[in-house]
Amino acid sequence: MPPLTVYWALVRAGFRRYSTYRQATVAGATTNVMFGFLRTYGMFAAAAAAGGVLAGYDRPRLATFVWVSQGMLATINIWGPPEYAERVRTGDAVTDLLRPVHPVWQLLAVDLGRAGFALLTRFVAPVVVGALAFGLYAPARWSTYPAFALSLVLALLVTFGCRHALFCSVHWLLDVRGPMTAWVLFSTLLSGMVFPLWILPEPLPALVVYGMPFASMVQAPMDVLVERGDPLRLLLTQAAWAAVALPAAVLIQRRGERKMVIQGG
Amino acid sequence: MSAVIETRGLRKEFVVRKRAGRFRRTRHAIAAVDGVDLRVEAGEMLGYIGPNGAGKSTTLKMLTGVLHPSGGDVRVCGFEPVPQRVRLARGIGVVFGQRSQLWWDLPLRESFDLLRHIYRVPPSEHAARLARCRSMLELDPFLDTPVRQLSLGQRMRGEITAALLHGPAVLFLDEPTIGLDVVSKQSVRAFLAEVGARGDTTVVLTTHDLADIQRLCERLVVIDHGRVVHDGTLAALHARYGSRRRVVADLDAPLDRPVAVPGADLESTEGGGARLTYALDQPPGALIAALAQTGVLRDVKIEEPDIEEVVARLYKDR
């Protein structure tokens, strides 16, 4: 196992790598802000129709839910391009295998660096705009802040693990577009990115929030932040999904490597 | 001498499915590498060549632990490449001419610094190796340029540096000069020749550019249809495949009848008979003497056998 300094260097490289695309960062943050307004007014309309509170979320909580989840979108990279799958398809993944670091941990470290840069830019921009335009919910308990930070890291790990496992399907399929379409569909509807999952009819909310990994990517961190539900249960659910997703990614990677045919000789 | 690379009966099969009806598919196993035995000693420079699809790159990928062999034994630097790939990675450097191990978005200097951390190279060793590469490969003008903005020649010099910064015992080069201009090729070849001359790095070079082999490798392994068809020196390859010298004679006036000497075949006539080219199976003395006796011989040139021609003949005879 390489020492932490190796991973730290990869984290820094990931940060540096993404920090070179400044115009793309501005464009992405602008898009997040635009959709933030759309989602907020939609949520407020739904809350008004429900008598002011929607599934336990009042207006400040809904605004927080929308704007912080808009910031999380790029931070956890839930809909980012399937870079690893593309590297396998073109054959460039061969270089990932030739380094003295396990490819999954190598990619995770780089992804953490990318997330660090996204946190400072793509996360902060929508949250600031949301706070200025609508006012956000201020947590009542101080412990909510570290709990949210932990929840965000766990969301990142779950998302990375699930996405990498999905990308590894390219070893068998040679093209990941089909699985990616399914991913976008499920992660959009079942993560809480479009609406809080608790508005679904019973018994779907508990099933989706605890029984599927998608809610651990967005819904759980949002509920921790707006202090809806038991934060410990949410964090444990996320940790459990991270403990499933990451080993699954490693296992599927290993199986995929046995199938690997480096394209183009 | 100790072997740093040793394979016995190394095989790699790929399964190909073919249509055998409207719904049926049949599976065919195709051997890309079919029982390769290889022993490479420390410090050797080995040329590993073959036609497209012969199994060169597949062999290299099995030696570096990227591909699982279908059969046979393989050890590189004392490791089994696939199960011990991460440990092996410390002892080898790899350049794939059509792939990049550099970080596309970062300047070359930052890629090198990152590799220092990944391979856990002491700063002083890293600095010494980088200084040598900077000087020999003339990296300084583009050291702070993002890799995505480098020309192919600049990137390849960066790739070779990246492969050597951790001081590997074995350097695998898969078509390192592909697509490079003449100057860049010369620069890369000169550097690799210096690496080979130091004797502390074993080099395995796969290429279609036979000038690379002529310039760099004493030993040549030719692979075809996944099997080794030649393992020896270049001279041995010429001897084995009957490479022929040529004599090119320039005459003041065309001859009525071409000179005929046993073992010398008239290959071509140019300039209305003023230039004759003979291919020889034996020393050229008798032919030159016969040409001199014609009284119109102005100039004569002896051409050594060409490796391109030998290898082309070898590939055609498949």
Side-chain angles (χ1 to χ4, degrees):
Chain A
M1 188 78 178
L4 284 176
T5 50
V6 173
Y7 293 110
W8 179 237
L10 287 164
V11 170
R12 280 187 295 141
F15 187 99
R16 270 287 291 131
R17 191 185 155 202
Y18 284 87
S19 69
T20 58
Y21 296 103
R22 287 170 196 160
Q23 287 172 327
T25 303
V26 172
T30 307
T31 308
N32 293 149
V33 167
M34 296 306 294
F35 275 93
F37 281 105
L38 280 174
R39 285 182 61 203
T40 307
Y41 291 121
M43 286 291 172
F44 282 180
V53 176
L54 182 67
Y57 299 92
D58 54 18
R59 278 175 66 102
R61 281 187 168 90
L62 280 175
T64 305
F65 196 105
V66 167
W67 288 96
V68 176
S69 64
Q70 282 300 109
M72 278 186 65
L73 208 151
T75 309
I76 62 172
N77 204 23
I78 192 167
W79 295 328
E83 202 172 306
Y84 178 73
E86 191 59 21
R87 288 173 65 75
V88 172
R89 197 182 64 76
T90 59
D92 286 343
V94 67
T95 58
D96 299 331
L97 304 180
L98 291 170
R99 295 189 179 122
V101 185
H102 190 286
V104 173
W105 305 134
Q106 189 183 145
L107 292 167
L108 175 60
V110 173
D111 197 55
L112 288 172
R114 178 206 56 73
F117 177 72
L119 192 70
L120 295 178
T121 52
R122 299 283 299 273
F123 183 86
V124 167
V127 170
V128 168
V129 171
L132 293 173
F134 300 98
L136 300 183
Y137 173 79
R141 299 185 297 265
W142 70 265
S143 60
T144 294
Y145 294 99
F148 173 68
L150 177 60
S151 183
L152 192 58
V153 172
L154 289 170
L156 185 62
L157 296 180
V158 175
T159 311
F160 173 85
C162 290
R163 276 167 52 86
H164 190 76
L166 186 86
F167 296 161
C168 284
S169 65
V170 76
H171 289 296
W172 289 269
L173 302 175
L174 293 180
D175 192 329
V176 80
R177 277 179 293 185
M180 276 305 288
T181 304
W183 169 263
V184 170
L185 179 70
F186 285 108
S187 62
T188 302
L189 294 177
L190 302 177
S191 67
M193 185 57 77
V194 178
F195 52 81
L197 297 172
W198 297 107
I199 67 172
L200 292 170
E202 292 294 344
L204 284 179
L207 190 69
V208 172
V209 171
Y210 300 115
M212 291 182 171
F214 304 105
S216 289
M217 300 168 197
V218 179
Q219 179 76 42
M222 290 306 98
D223 282 347
V224 168
L225 183 63
V226 301
E227 298 177 326
R228 188 194 187 284
D230 179 2
L232 187 61
R233 183 193 276 191
L234 290 165
L235 288 170
L236 286 174
T237 303
Q238 284 186 285
W241 278 115
V244 171
L246 288 174
V250 172
L251 188 69
I252 297 171
Q253 165 86 28
R254 193 179 304 151
R255 301 289 302 173
E257 283 172 17
R258 291 193 69 91
K259 284 287 295 179
M260 183 176 271
V261 180
I262 305 298
Q263 311 295 322
Chain B
M1 293 279 269
S2 60
V4 289
I5 299 172
E6 194 158 18
T7 71
R8 275 196 299 272
L10 185 63
R11 282 179 62 78
K12 180 66 188 178
E13 288 181 355
F14 294 106
V15 174
V16 177
R17 290 177 177 79
K18 285 187 179 164
R19 281 186 72 160
R22 183 166 292 180
F23 300 110
R24 279 186 55 230
R25 298 279 188 282
T26 53
R27 289 160 57 95
H28 296 272
I30 293 176
V33 175
D34 192 7
V36 167
D37 297 325
L38 205 58
R39 184 183 164 89
V40 184
E41 309 292 342
E44 263 193 280
M45 280 194 96
L46 174 77
Y48 195 66
I49 67 166
N52 289 329
K56 307 179 298 292
S57 295
T58 305
T59 310
L60 239 62
K61 282 160 193 160
M62 287 193 283
L63 295 179
T64 52
V66 173
L67 283 184
H68 288 247
S70 307
D73 296 318
V74 55
R75 290 193 89 79
V76 178
C77 300
F79 296 110
E80 283 184 67
V82 171
Q84 296 177 295
R85 190 180 66 216
V86 170
R87 291 170 70 189
L88 173 65
R90 282 185 200 296
I92 62 171
V94 186
V95 174
F96 287 112
Q98 300 183 65
R99 315 265 175 258
S100 180
Q101 62 186 307
L102 302 166
W103 275 261
W104 198 244
D105 322 85
L106 300 181
L108 210 46
R109 188 191 298 275
E110 290 186 39
S111 273
F112 293 155
D113 193 49
L114 184 54
L115 288 169
R116 175 174 79 76
H117 286 97
I118 288 177
Y119 285 94
R120 287 184 268 169
V121 183
S124 58
E125 278 183 33
H126 174 83
R129 290 190 191 118
L130 181 57
R132 186 169 134 236
C133 293
R134 281 170 65 173
S135 147
M136 287 207 64
L137 290 169
E138 298 172 3
L139 302 177
D140 283 358
F142 52 90
L143 209 49
D144 292 307
T145 307
V147 171
R148 63 174 184 266
Q149 293 173 9
L150 298 180
S151 70
L152 182 61
Q154 290 171 332
R155 185 174 68 73
M156 192 48 63
R157 284 184 268 167
E159 298 283 354
I160 291 169
T161 303
L164 285 168
L165 282 176
H166 55 287
V170 185
L171 178 63
F172 292 100
L173 302 161
D174 189 1
E175 302 191 43
T177 55
I178 191 166
L180 300 190
D181 62 34
V182 176
V183 176
S184 296
K185 272 185 188 177
Q186 282 175 347
S187 165
V188 166
R189 280 180 197 145
F191 179 74
L192 293 175
E194 201 265 346
V195 169
R198 288 166 68 103
D200 54 359
T201 308
T202 306
V203 179
V204 178
L205 170 65
T206 292
T207 183
H208 284 298
D209 189 335
L210 297 170
D212 291 346
I213 301 283
Q214 268 181 314
R215 171 85 168 80
L216 297 169
C217 304
E218 278 189 13
R219 182 180 166 197
L220 180 66
V221 171
V222 185
I223 184 172
D224 188 22
H225 286 107
R227 292 170 182 272
V228 173
V229 294
H230 173 82
D231 185 351
T233 60
L234 266 173
L237 184 71
H238 284 305
R240 181 173 165 186
Y241 286 93
S243 301
R244 305 172 94 191
R245 279 180 178 166
R246 286 195 172 76
V247 168
V248 180
D250 286 321
L251 309 176
D252 289 325
L255 298 170
D256 296 334
R257 223 178 34 198
V259 170
V261 173
D265 298 328
L266 182 61
E267 206 173 59
S268 66
T269 306
E270 295 168 69
R275 168 169 285 189
L276 305 176
T277 302
Y278 290 85
L280 299 180
D281 289 327
Q282 58 188 27
L287 175 66
I288 293 170
L291 286 165
Q293 280 176 2
T294 63
V296 291
L297 181 63
R298 178 159 34 101
D299 192 12
V300 69
K301 188 168 68 179
I302 300 171
E303 291 180 351
E304 291 301 317
D306 181 14
I307 183 176
E308 300 265 358
E309 186 190 322
V310 180
V311 172
R313 203 182 318 155
L314 183 67
Y315 292 176
K316 268 189 212 159
D317 293 344
R318 300 162 77 186

